């Protein structure tokens, strides 16, 4: 008898170390640019006073700290996507990685509703600054289980399935320097944040194109 | 398969029923109900209930015991009758079972109240082993000026078909549009939808607490026979 997992969702995670200097520079830059000039003029969801969302051209900024973060994030996305793919690495390496990238500054009681990202294949979230307090303070990145209704009927034999079969959302409390990469089709949200310090993250939507392709 | 045979037209497929019902309950009833909900804060936990009692991960959201609809208090009895009566009417209307047959079914329900203070919310949830979830609004306040989507019941979009969008699918009309569905609770009104649907109550931005009563509901056929043991 063999038991296998099907319909699995690839979740990549890695950590930038050391990250303290870079995160300090990023925090300083983002807080200085938490202004209307840099704000996303066409947010996909109702804007809240407690959450600032920047334009999606972050990785075109020339500042060295942005270039450094860009290298780390996009290289990580590239490696994770390549690892998950059956395409030969030599062939995969010729693909071009495109991105829309922005930063979020979340203050007390800010949140982001459940959504996914159309017209992208991989989404990534990097944590610049988490709460400095030990107590739980919300601001979780919640990835929703794709198997909607799979736990609608529970009996004593299926309510304690072990991983990877257990049906449950995945709650992630991101820490500074941590990067999470997941398929863009995955619905996700940021739960209300109750920390006293601003929570700062950088999010990126990525898609690959063949060499020479003019558009997706 | 036969819905469009021999005719032209557009229909909604795989639709999710969502009902919003004015129960007709008046202000005095809701005030009594609000007091009853507040009194639940000091109620002892159910033996063995574990995480079912006050399992909220949000300190600004009080979740009461899940035997709220079984209380002997007259207001709770009236509420149970109200919720289950409205739910039966809605669900019967969705069914191809005849009214006489439907009336023979009996209902099982477990209910609890949630008191959500300003800046609190009800985290994402859905429920197993129930077919319907009713959400009755006892009390709601006006959100701060300029705030949108505060204290709303939000049902999550789960159709992955939303992943590819072009200019023709970006702004589809209801019921075809992609995106979450929201409902603003109004005292005396009740929402009803399948219990497996993931949903939340967004952050409340009003001075007045939002008070809701949730009820998991299922209909049982008294003559149903077990399909047998293996």
């Amino acid at each position: 008898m063999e038991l296998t997992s099907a319909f699995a969702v690839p979740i990549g995670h890695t950590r930038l170390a050391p990250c303290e200097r870079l995160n300090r520079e990023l925090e300083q830059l983002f807080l200085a640019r938490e202004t209307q000039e840099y704000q996303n003029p066409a947010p996909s969801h109702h804007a809240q006073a407690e959450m600032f969302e920047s334009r999606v051209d972050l990785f075109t900024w020339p500042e060295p700290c942005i270039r450094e973060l860009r290298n780390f994030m996009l290289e990580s996305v590239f490696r994770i996507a390549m690892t998950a793919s059956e395409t030969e690495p030599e062939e995969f390496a010729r693909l071009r990685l495109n991105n829309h990238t922005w930063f979020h500054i979340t203050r007390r009681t800010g949140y982001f509703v459940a959504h996914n990202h159309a017209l992208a294949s991989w989404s990534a979230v990097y944590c610049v600054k988490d709460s400095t307090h030990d107590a739980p303070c919300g601001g979780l990145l919640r990835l929703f289980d794709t198997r909607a209704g799979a736990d609608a009927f529970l009996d004593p034999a299926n309510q304690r399935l072990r991983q990877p079969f257990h049906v449950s959302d995945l709650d992630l409390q991101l820490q500074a320097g941590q990067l999470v990469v997941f398929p863009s089709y995955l619905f996700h949200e940021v739960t209300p944040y109750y920390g006293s310090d601003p929570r700062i993250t950088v999010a990126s939507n990525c898609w690959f194109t063949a060499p020479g392709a003019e558009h997706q | 398969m036969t819905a469009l045979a021999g005719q032209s037209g557009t229909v909604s497929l795989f639709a999710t029923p969502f009902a919003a019902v004015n129960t007709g309950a008046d202000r005095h009833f809701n005030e009594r109900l609000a007091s009853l909900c507040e009194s639940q804060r000091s109620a002892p936990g159910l033996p063995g209930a574990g995480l079912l009692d006050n399992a909220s991960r949000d300190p600004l959201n009080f979740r009461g015991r899940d035997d709220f609809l079984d209380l002997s208090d007259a207001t709770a009895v009236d509420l149970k009758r109200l919720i289950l009566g409205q739910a039966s009417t809605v669900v019967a209307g969705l069914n191809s079972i005849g009214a006489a047959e439907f009336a023979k079914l009996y209902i099982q329900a477990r209910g609890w109240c949630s008191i959500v203070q300003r800046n609190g919310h009800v985290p994402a949830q859905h429920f197993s082993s129930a077919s319907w979830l009713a959400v009755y609004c006892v009390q709601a306040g006006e959100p701060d000026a300029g705030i949108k989507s505060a204290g709303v019941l939000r049902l999550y979009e789960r159709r992955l078909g939303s992943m590819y969008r072009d200019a023709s699918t970006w702004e589809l009309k209801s019921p075809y549009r992609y995106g979450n569905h929201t409902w603003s609770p109004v005292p005396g009104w009740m929402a009803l939808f399948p219990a497996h649907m993931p949903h939340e109550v967004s952050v409340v931005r009003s001075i007045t607490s939002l008070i809701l009563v949730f009820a998991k509901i299922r209909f049982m056929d008294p003559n149903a026979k077990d399909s047998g043991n293996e």
Side-chain angles (χ1 to χ4, degrees):
Chain A
M1 186 192 76
E2 189 178 356
L3 187 63
T4 62
S5 168
F7 316 119
V9 178
I11 308 287
H13 54 92
T14 184
R15 184 179 290 275
L16 178 65
C19 63
E20 290 76 11
R21 175 198 52 79
L22 176 62
N23 285 345
R24 274 197 306 274
E25 292 176 13
L26 292 170
E27 177 184 352
Q28 198 171 17
L29 180 65
F30 294 157
L31 290 175
R33 295 189 176 178
E34 191 183 8
T35 64
Q36 193 171 5
E37 180 186 358
Y38 291 96
Q39 190 166 25
N40 185 351
S44 57
H45 297 80
H46 292 311
Q48 303 169 58
E50 297 81 6
M51 176 176 272
F52 178 88
E53 180 174 285
S54 77
R55 294 172 181 269
V56 299
D57 61 354
L58 179 65
F59 278 171
T60 66
W61 293 9
E63 284 77 6
C65 61
I66 297 296
R67 311 300 295 177
E68 189 175 342
L69 179 67
R70 182 181 190 278
N71 289 342
F72 170 68
M73 284 186 68
L74 296 189
E75 185 174 315
S76 298
V77 170
F78 207 106
R79 287 182 183 281
I80 287 167
M82 188 162 64
T83 303
S85 174
E86 284 192 332
T87 302
E88 292 298 328
E90 296 76 18
E91 186 181 345
F92 200 101
R94 286 196 289 272
L95 299 179
R96 179 184 169 193
L97 179 54
N98 309 275
N99 74 91
H100 285 159
T101 304
W102 63 98
F103 68 85
H104 274 154
I105 299 176
T106 309
R107 291 190 161 77
R108 188 173 174 78
T109 74
Y111 65 97
F112 208 100
V113 302
H115 64 287
N116 66 358
H117 295 285
L119 306 181
S121 55
W122 294 92
S123 294
V125 181
Y126 175 80
C127 182
V128 176
K129 182 179 174 64
D130 59 343
S131 173
T132 54
H133 303 284
D134 294 333
C137 58
L140 302 174
L141 173 62
R142 174 170 295 145
L143 306 178
F144 288 99
D145 197 318
T146 56
R147 298 162 294 177
D151 59 351
F153 182 76
L154 292 182
D155 66 17
N158 73 1
Q159 59 188 335
R160 295 182 61 197
L161 293 176
R162 63 170 181 259
Q163 293 294 7
F165 309 110
H166 184 63
V167 180
S168 176
D169 303 327
L170 182 62
D171 288 351
L172 301 173
Q173 182 87 65
L174 297 183
Q175 297 173 332
Q178 195 173 12
L179 174 72
V180 178
V181 180
F182 53 90
S184 300
Y185 64 76
L186 206 57
F187 284 92
H188 56 285
E189 70 176 2
V190 177
T191 68
Y193 175 66
Y194 295 110
S196 51
D197 298 325
R199 174 186 183 271
I200 302 176
T201 54
V202 172
S204 186
N205 285 339
C206 301
W207 65 98
F208 290 83
T209 46
E214 292 180 0
H215 53 75
Q216 285 187 72
Chain B
M1 192 68 182
T2 58
L4 290 177
Q7 57 183 298
S8 298
T10 304
V11 297
S12 170
L13 297 178
F14 315 121
T16 301
F18 178 88
V21 182
N22 183 353
T23 67
D26 63 18
R27 184 167 57 89
H28 300 296
F29 176 77
N30 285 325
E31 286 173 355
R32 290 200 307 277
L33 195 50
S35 297
L36 183 62
C37 292
E38 289 288 354
S39 73
Q40 294 299 293
R41 289 184 187 274
S42 56
L46 285 174
L51 289 175
L52 282 176
D53 282 357
N54 299 328
S56 168
R57 288 165 282 179
D58 180 348
L60 299 174
N61 168 26
F62 166 79
R63 174 178 164 157
R65 292 169 26 158
D66 73 345
D67 62 350
F68 188 74
L69 296 180
D70 300 319
L71 298 179
S72 57
D73 182 282
T75 305
V77 172
D78 288 345
L79 178 68
K80 182 176 184 178
R81 188 182 303 121
L82 192 68
I83 289 177
L84 299 190
Q86 296 287 354
S88 295
T89 302
V90 170
V91 177
L94 298 171
N95 259 273
S96 55
I97 303 173
E101 284 299 307
F102 195 90
K104 293 177 186 171
L105 305 180
Y106 70 92
I107 309 178
Q108 293 179 324
R110 298 292 280 172
W112 63 94
C113 65
S114 276
I115 304 174
V116 191
Q117 295 172 245
R118 181 180 178 82
N119 292 329
H121 76 300
V122 177
Q125 59 184 10
H126 66 279
F127 298 99
S128 57
S129 301
S131 52
W132 302 95
L133 187 75
V135 183
Y136 177 85
C137 178
V138 181
Q139 174 181 292
E142 280 293 316
D144 298 347
I147 300 291
K148 293 181 178 176
S149 301
V152 297
L153 173 68
R154 177 177 288 122
L155 278 72
Y156 293 146
E157 164 72 79
R158 298 302 293 266
R159 295 171 296 174
L160 298 178
S162 60
M163 270 302 291
Y164 183 79
R165 295 191 187 182
D166 65 10
S168 73
T169 61
W170 196 264
E171 300 238 354
L172 290 173
K173 293 184 293 192
S174 180
Y176 310 108
R177 67 175 289 273
Y178 296 119
N180 300 325
H181 178 80
T182 60
W183 177 71
S184 296
V186 175
W189 282 66
M190 181 184 104
L192 186 77
F193 54 94
H196 69 78
M197 288 290 297
H199 61 279
E200 67 169 359
V201 175
S202 65
V203 173
V204 171
R205 308 285 193 187
S206 58
I207 301 297
T208 305
S209 295
L210 176 66
I211 304 181
L212 302 170
V213 174
F214 294 82
K216 291 190 296 183
I217 298 170
R218 60 186 181 191
F219 293 80
M220 310 298 289
D221 181 350
N223 300 315
K225 291 186 171 60
D226 196 317
S227 58
N229 299 322
E230 290 294 335

